[in-house]
Amino acid sequence: MACLHDHSCEEHDCSSDWSLYKHIDLTKVSALNEATTGSVKSVFKAWEQRLNSSGDFLESNEGDPELLVFIPFTSDVKIKGISIVGGADGTSPSKMRAFINRDGIDFSDAQSMQAVQEWELVENIQGVLEYQTRYSKFQSVANITLHFPENFGGDTTQIHYIGFKGEATQLKRDVVATIVYELTPNPSDHKTKAEGGGGLSHVGK
Amino acid sequence: MVLEATMICIDNSEWMRNGDYSPSRFQALADAVNLICGAKTQSNPENTVGVLTMAGKGVRVLVTPTSDLGKILACMHGLEVGGEMNLAAGIQVAQLALKHRQNKKQQQRIIVFAGSPVKHEKKLLEMIGRKLKKNSVALDIVNFGEDDEGKTEKLEALLAAVNNNETSHIVNVPPGPNALSDVLISTPIFTGDGEGGSGFAAAAAAAAAGGVSGFDFGVDPNLDPELALALRVSMEEERARQEAAAKKAAEEASKQEKGGEQSSSQDATMTERAGVATSDADNKTTDLTQDDENALLQQALAMSMDDPATNNDVRDTDMSEAAAEDPELALALQLSVQDGTKDSAGQSDMSKLLADQSFVSSILASLPGVDPNDPSVKDLLASMQSQSEPQKKNDDKGPNEDEKQ
């Protein structure tokens, strides 16, 4: 499932492909089991900076390699591929599971639910590996939750970069913002054919 | 004001019958819970609070997280004490209740009141703590009541496992004269991680600290800034007026000796009255004190007549004589004057008061050095009564002046 670039990156500008990070709603990104609250925001950056982890990266708590990252987008996107840069010494995640358009997933939910897609990851320090998605399932993604259940044996799990490849649509997923429920029906809203004249169901004249 | 969903875990085991917290441990606990619920819902209207009991027949959720304070207070009624507390199960059920909160944007918090001994192993508590931390649930522990060996240690270990960036706290409350709620008010459990405290917590703290010592006028500027500002402004105004009145009284006394005219007062109608008083003062050579009192009374009445918002002149007169000696009394009077401004009653009430001669003469009698039977005082009373009929005022002024001349 991994796809290596068959050319060196100096000739071909890969960064434009990995530009979905611009459509991530960074204020609403959250992670569970992160050691430092808010450190998850630092993993979403441009392709060129994927190896440049100047101190800020996502790390899980001591002795617990599980990580859960919730990523909402500002508009619906189609995701073609995902790239993950982990840490050294076994702190890279070894498995990844993705859930689409689900709010408020926590660890017990993630462990019991069926993921939309799962990948076996390899240690990808250089960040040139891309994990393809089943594109048909990732057609209108408003938010994605990534669950990393295991790593390569390290005490913690470190993630330095998460990149998304694909395209952004300008649509927003339908969110029913306000629903007005009628307590009592308003007869003028419910004109039946009988009231319109004609028909046999006249009640009274 | 952090948006939070809170679950409060109550210990209603047999140990809570003890009376070392007055009136009983359980009552102190109930008061503390009520206070916390109020503080949480006030600091952010979208906050929700739920309650569950850990002892009795088993862990039971009394009310799921809701922002309806009435529901929470109602469920605290009729709670029975009995059984043994199951801390681990209580915390886990609380976590589950929070997981199913309606608004997923709320932060999750559990507040545990542990009054009886903890029978779980430290390891189990640490595991629970780690699970809470992993799911980013904060935990506040109130350790009170029984203190057997290891209880505090276990709870501290639980806190260490949960604590993520100082969002979780533990409070140890030993038995003593202070109520449980009072001790809790000053803790981070109430003040919410050092945000500076909600107005509720701050006001409650001020009240607990004994009266109005917390704020200038017994009103929290956070709660009601306009009222606090109005109180301060009118206090300063009144102080300025009193100084002016005292100055004028001194001037009048000296001018009376010289026999000069005085041009006091603030508006046209009052000028005439003051003129009456002045001519009155000019022509009196006996009893200096009485005239001073008269002048002071006139000034006070002038001040109160001038300000239609104040509907009780008694306080003004009292203030001019008493304020200098007793600042606390002045403050109390100031407060009551402010209360008067809130009333919509206007000039008419005061006129009625003035018209009530027996009332006014009783007030005058209480003033030292004023003899109600003195003819000048009687004239004054008569002129005050005539104030209530403005058409006759000028006529009365005429005969009064003639009389006094």
Side-chain angles (χ1 to χ4, degrees):
Chain A
M1 293 256 253
C3 155
L4 283 164
H5 288 273
D6 52 2
H7 49 262
S8 68
C9 279
E10 285 87 39
E11 295 159 6
H12 166 78
D13 184 15
C14 292
S15 62
S16 55
D17 293 334
W18 295 93
S19 59
L20 274 185
Y21 74 95
K22 294 181 192 153
H23 297 272
I24 295 179
D25 192 352
L26 270 179
T27 53
K28 297 204 188 111
V29 169
S30 70
L32 286 184
N33 202 29
E34 54 177 345
T36 327
T37 323
S39 58
V40 63
K41 301 192 182 163
S42 62
V43 306
F44 301 107
K45 43 204 169 188
W47 172 257
E48 291 90 20
Q49 268 112 44
R50 72 194 183 285
L51 298 176
N52 174 25
S53 56
S54 49
D56 276 347
F57 51 86
L58 174 61
E59 184 162 16
S60 70
N61 280 316
E62 280 283 321
D64 197 346
E66 268 193 274
L67 272 175
L68 198 63
V69 185
F70 172 71
I71 304 149
F73 294 98
T74 52
S75 64
D76 284 6
V77 299
K78 302 179 204 261
I79 301 181
K80 252 191 268 183
I82 306 180
S83 175
I84 307 278
V85 175
D89 299 330
T91 56
S92 271
S94 58
K95 264 180 97 167
M96 178 165 74
R97 307 169 71 223
F99 304 91
I100 304 256
N101 292 337
R102 301 284 303 251
D103 235 2
I105 295 183
D106 73 349
F107 283 106
S108 46
D109 292 336
Q111 277 147 15
S112 53
M113 270 169 33
Q114 176 88 348
V116 173
Q117 193 168 351
E118 295 188 22
W119 294 267
E120 298 284 337
L121 307 179
V122 291
E123 291 196 71
N124 178 16
I125 316 277
Q126 296 310 310
V128 295
L129 283 179
E130 173 200 334
Y131 301 96
Q132 273 192 334
T133 65
R134 279 190 214 124
Y135 200 42
S136 56
K137 298 203 176 156
F138 288 76
Q139 282 298 300
S140 75
V141 178
N143 60 62
I144 184 170
T145 307
L146 294 176
H147 176 216
F148 302 96
E150 297 156 4
N151 67 2
F152 285 100
D155 214 16
T156 65
T157 300
Q158 290 177 7
I159 295 182
H160 294 260
Y161 171 71
I162 298 179
F164 293 100
K165 188 182 202 178
E167 34 184 80
T169 65
Q170 294 310 309
L171 308 166
K172 272 209 94 81
R173 189 147 174 263
D174 268 341
V175 171
V176 187
T178 52
I179 305 175
V180 177
Y181 293 102
E182 286 182 320
L183 278 177
T184 53
N186 188 355
S188 61
D189 287 343
H190 299 278
K191 287 222 176 309
T192 64
K193 214 159 50 168
E195 285 162 34
L200 298 164
S201 47
H202 258 290
V203 180
K205 288 230 171 165
Chain B
M1 320 249 176
V2 62
L3 184 57
E4 219 172 37
T6 310
M7 275 304 284
I8 304 185
C9 302
I10 291 181
D11 180 3
N12 60 333
S13 61
E14 285 289 345
W15 279 267
M16 302 303 284
R17 287 192 207 273
N18 198 328
D20 52 358
Y21 299 80
S22 64
S24 78
R25 282 182 190 167
F26 190 69
Q27 270 305 312
L29 172 61
D31 290 339
V33 170
N34 290 341
L35 215 54
I36 290 182
C37 293
K40 293 281 178 200
T41 44
Q42 223 199 23
S43 77
N44 186 328
E46 287 192 47
N47 278 351
T48 55
V49 182
V51 178
L52 62 79
T53 53
M54 294 191 283
K57 291 211 187 79
V59 176
R60 188 162 68 101
V61 176
L62 297 175
V63 57
T64 56
T66 171
S67 51
D68 183 359
L69 195 58
K71 219 184 200 179
I72 300 165
L73 298 180
C75 84
M76 294 294 298
H77 279 300
L79 273 185
E80 305 256 319
V81 176
E84 257 187 49
M85 168 178 83
N86 187 347
L87 185 64
I91 294 181
Q92 284 168 328
V93 172
Q95 190 185 352
L96 197 62
L98 285 173
K99 181 173 144 168
H100 292 286
R101 64 196 186 286
Q102 287 194 309
N103 183 358
K104 301 288 180 196
K105 293 200 178 76
Q106 288 167 327
Q107 302 279 333
Q108 304 172 73
R109 179 173 292 272
I110 300 177
I111 304 182
V112 172
F113 285 86
S116 47
V118 174
K119 62 178 192 263
H120 305 284
E121 291 292 326
K122 193 153 90 153
K123 269 207 183 356
L124 175 65
L125 292 177
E126 281 178 351
M127 206 164 69
I128 293 176
R130 274 195 296 269
K131 191 152 162 260
L132 288 177
K133 182 174 178 182
K134 192 164 165 180
N135 288 297
S136 74
V137 179
L139 179 66
D140 289 334
I141 307 174
V142 180
N143 179 14
F144 69 114
E146 290 296 317
D147 187 24
D148 64 346
E149 342 73 46
K151 180 186 176 197
T152 309
E153 200 190 313
K154 287 179 188 171
L155 293 177
E156 300 264 356
L158 172 60
L159 183 85
V162 176
N163 205 352
N164 180 10
N165 230 13
E166 308 301 320
T167 50
S168 302
H169 316 94
I170 183 169
V171 180
N172 298 304
V173 187
N178 300 328
L180 190 61
S181 342
D182 292 341
V183 176
L184 285 179
I185 279 174
S186 54
T187 60
I189 292 181
F190 253 92
T191 58
D193 301 342
E195 291 164 355
S198 63
F200 183 97
V212 300
S213 56
F215 301 99
D216 273 339
F217 297 103
V219 173
D220 177 7
N222 294 330
L223 280 180
D224 201 347
E226 291 143 1
L227 180 57
L229 183 64
L231 284 174
R232 191 172 303 123
V233 165
S234 67
M235 175 70 137
E236 283 161 13
E237 264 179 40
E238 195 50 52
R239 204 180 295 132
R241 277 188 203 155
Q242 283 166 26
E243 285 168 17
K247 226 184 286 172
K248 280 170 191 166
E251 278 174 20
E252 270 185 26
S254 61
K255 274 177 188 169
Q256 185 188 338
E257 288 164 1
K258 295 175 199 168
E261 280 288 317
Q262 186 173 350
S263 62
S264 64
S265 83
Q266 295 93 339
D267 65 9
T269 57
M270 286 307 104
T271 315
E272 295 164 37
R273 292 195 70 209
V276 171
T278 317
S279 54
D280 206 9
D282 280 349
N283 290 320
K284 282 281 176 217
T285 50
T286 58
D287 204 350
L288 207 62
T289 334
Q290 186 181 342
D291 285 332
D292 279 351
E293 286 296 342
N294 258 347
L296 275 177
L297 180 56
Q298 282 289 351
Q299 284 299 324
L301 286 171
M303 285 191 287
S304 58
M305 286 296 279
D306 184 44
D307 183 1
T310 322
N311 70 349
N312 197 334
D313 65 317
V314 177
R315 297 202 176 103
D316 280 340
T317 44
D318 279 351
M319 267 204 241
S320 53
E321 68 164 348
E325 295 121 18
D326 199 351
E328 279 178 33
L329 180 57
L331 174 60
L333 291 168
Q334 184 59 37
L335 283 176
S336 54
V337 161
Q338 195 57 34
D339 283 345
T341 45
K342 288 193 197 162
D343 286 346
S344 53
Q347 197 86 354
S348 54
D349 277 358
M350 188 175 44
S351 309
K352 282 186 210 144
L353 274 174
L354 292 175
D356 186 4
Q357 190 172 3
S358 56
F359 173 72
V360 177
S361 54
S362 68
I363 296 302
L364 286 177
S366 70
L367 290 173
V370 174
D371 182 6
N373 294 325
D374 191 274
S376 62
V377 178
K378 278 191 176 162
D379 289 340
L380 198 59
L381 284 172
S383 69
M384 283 197 300
Q385 279 173 323
S386 68
Q387 277 297 319
S388 55
E389 290 130 14
Q391 301 94 337
K392 294 188 194 162
K393 202 193 301 180
N394 291 333
D395 295 341
D396 284 331
K397 279 293 182 303
N400 272 346
E401 276 185 77
D402 290 341
E403 232 177 301
K404 276 154 194 166
Q405 295 297 337

